[in-house]
Amino acid sequence: MSPKINISLYWKCQFIGWSVAALYWEYRGFTRSTHFSWLLAALQFISDVVIYILLTHLYRNYALRHNFQNLNLGQLLKRIIPGAVVMGVAYTLATTVKLYLFQFWFFQSPVQTYADFFKQNAEAIFIGGTRLMSIWLLAYHMYHYAQREIRTSKENARLAIISREAQLSNLSAQLNPHFLFNSLNNIKALVIDNPKSARRAIDLLSDLLRTSLYNGEIMQISLRDEINLVKDYLELEKLRFEERLQFAINVDDDLVAIQIPRLCIQTLVENAIKHGIAKRKDGGLITIRTEKTGGFVKITVQNPGFLEAGDDGVGLKNLRERLALEYKGRATFAITGELDDIVLATISIPSA
């Protein structure tokens, strides 16, 4: 069984569109000519289809090479308008040469030179060709523009779903029975011995729950707000781990207003506590740093522990995909095992 030939939509439109145009021109020639030649008509049809497909395909290759498909509508229109003129000129030259050669071959003795033939017919051919090429350019680019908008809409919808999944995952981590049981027990113990700390713990738990429940639609927040959320989370977790949990946060003041994916740092901190602090009898230090290097904002979370297979759970997988979608592959995320039993998680996002 012979393999099925799969012709792309682009080539189908090219062949069908120019074939229909060529047939229309042949029909006009048939109805207006008293000496219609079927051989000449067939050659005209074939040459028209081949030449104009070649011209438009050359333009397509040029547009792809210069990434016209990634331009916004305003930038695209600035290139389509002169492009239509250039294509109209190319159409005029190709058409006049073709018609003159056919006249020479079929009638042997042209009554005029090519220069005279060009002067006589170029204006009408240029107007008609520019109109045709403008239609082709608009159809080609508007199709790709519409496809890009559809892809963007799909990616945005997918991003919203992933962001919501990250929110739910984070909320689940905060609300799981073990977490609440320990937090409430710690608060209960503090009520008698240290009422001030108990009130603080209740405030922290309340703020965390409020943030998780009522800010779920926000995909990006400032670095300042994310760090404040992380501080509350770490302070509350410190009630459980006490002196086993130490943390240091070093944030560049010039970066506090930059927008970052919501819960991205907290996801790394949760992972550091779960796979680092919680597994060590003596606990350890979690260090959070931010800095700007080479057009990127670098966020690192360092904790004691060993990098083990399977540590990349749902939260980190969601974070990877969110970064890929939000920054179109320009952001990076990696977790590495450093010397001296240190695990380092690093996010790099474009600063502009």
Side-chain angles (χ1 to χ4, degrees):
M1 187 175 182
S2 59
K4 184 178 179 180
I5 300 176
N6 186 21
I7 302 176
S8 68
L9 179 62
Y10 165 77
W11 284 111
K12 289 178 181 177
C13 291
Q14 282 281 70
F15 283 114
I16 293 174
W18 287 116
S19 294
V20 169
L23 284 173
Y24 171 72
W25 295 326
E26 298 307 320
Y27 172 76
R28 291 185 61 187
F30 178 78
T31 56
R32 294 183 180 185
S33 177
T34 56
H35 303 286
F36 185 80
S37 169
W38 288 103
L39 176 59
L40 179 59
L43 292 176
Q44 290 273 30
F45 174 85
I46 294 171
S47 61
D48 284 344
V49 172
V50 171
I51 291 172
Y52 302 137
I53 284 180
L54 178 61
L55 285 178
T56 50
H57 188 63
L58 288 173
Y59 171 85
R60 174 179 180 262
N61 289 341
Y62 177 86
L64 291 175
R65 191 179 304 115
H66 291 82
N67 295 315
F68 283 14
Q69 68 275 15
N70 295 324
L71 301 176
N72 61 41
L73 190 58
Q75 294 172 322
L76 193 57
L77 288 175
K78 290 179 182 179
R79 288 160 175 78
I80 288 179
I81 294 173
V85 176
V86 172
M87 293 290 284
V89 171
Y91 177 98
T92 302
L93 292 173
T95 302
T96 53
V97 169
K98 181 202 69 170
L99 292 176
Y100 186 80
L101 289 176
F102 279 170
Q103 177 179 299
F104 177 81
W105 291 333
F106 280 84
F107 302 102
Q108 296 301 320
S109 55
V111 295
Q112 57 189 160
T113 65
Y114 172 76
D116 292 334
F117 180 84
F118 183 86
K119 291 178 182 178
Q120 181 180 346
N121 297 282
E123 181 178 352
I125 293 174
F126 174 76
I127 293 173
T130 303
R131 183 170 58 245
L132 270 175
M133 291 301 170
S134 297
I135 294 172
W136 188 95
L137 289 172
L138 285 171
Y140 175 78
H141 285 298
M142 290 304 102
Y143 170 79
H144 285 284
Y145 183 83
Q147 290 296 107
R148 189 179 71 188
E149 290 299 303
I150 291 172
R151 287 195 301 270
T152 301
S153 297
K154 288 181 178 179
E155 288 179 357
N156 288 340
R158 190 180 176 202
L159 178 59
I161 292 172
I162 292 173
S163 181
R164 175 55 60 87
E165 289 176 352
Q167 174 209 355
L168 293 176
S169 176
N170 176 74
L171 185 58
S172 176
Q174 293 173 7
L175 290 179
N176 70 73
H178 182 72
F179 176 84
L180 278 178
F181 177 78
N182 284 295
S183 298
L184 292 174
N185 268 345
N186 289 330
I187 293 172
K188 178 182 176 181
L190 290 171
V191 167
I192 297 175
D193 298 333
N194 194 339
K196 184 178 180 180
S197 295
R199 288 195 298 269
R200 175 58 179 162
I202 292 172
D203 290 340
L204 289 169
L205 185 58
S206 175
D207 288 342
L208 280 169
L209 297 181
R210 186 183 301 111
T211 300
S212 296
L213 289 171
Y214 296 111
N215 292 337
E217 298 302 323
I218 301 175
M219 295 187 195
Q220 290 200 338
I221 62 175
S222 68
L223 178 60
R224 179 191 295 108
D225 291 339
E226 177 77 2
I227 290 297
N228 288 336
L229 181 66
V230 169
K231 286 179 179 178
D232 289 345
Y233 177 77
L234 284 168
E235 190 175 342
L236 183 58
E237 283 285 55
K238 193 169 175 61
L239 291 173
R240 176 158 65 108
F241 291 100
E242 297 180 336
E243 296 305 316
R244 292 175 59 203
L245 173 59
Q246 302 296 323
F247 60 88
I249 300 176
N250 301 311
V251 177
D252 188 336
D253 291 337
D254 295 333
L255 301 177
V256 293
I258 193 170
Q259 296 290 303
I260 63 174
R262 180 175 175 270
L263 304 178
C264 66
I265 299 179
Q266 184 169 334
T267 298
L268 299 183
V269 171
E270 288 178 359
N271 191 69
I273 292 175
K274 179 179 179 182
H275 297 287
I277 304 300
K279 292 183 177 181
R280 298 173 68 91
K281 182 178 179 180
D282 297 330
L285 173 68
I286 293 178
T287 304
I288 302 169
R289 294 189 181 92
T290 65
E291 60 179 334
K292 186 175 180 180
T293 57
F296 286 82
V297 174
K298 184 178 178 182
I299 302 168
T300 60
V301 175
Q302 179 179 298
N303 63 274
F306 297 95
L307 187 62
E308 301 176 1
D311 283 357
D312 199 352
V314 175
L316 296 184
K317 289 178 181 177
N318 282 344
L319 177 59
R320 290 182 191 277
E321 194 160 2
R322 287 176 64 200
L323 290 171
L325 287 172
E326 289 192 47
Y327 297 99
K328 310 297 183 184
R330 294 180 296 153
T332 61
F333 169 56
I335 296 183
T336 57
E338 305 292 322
L339 297 176
D340 301 324
D341 302 340
I342 294 296
V343 175
L344 184 67
T346 305
I347 296 175
S348 293
I349 61 175
S351 58

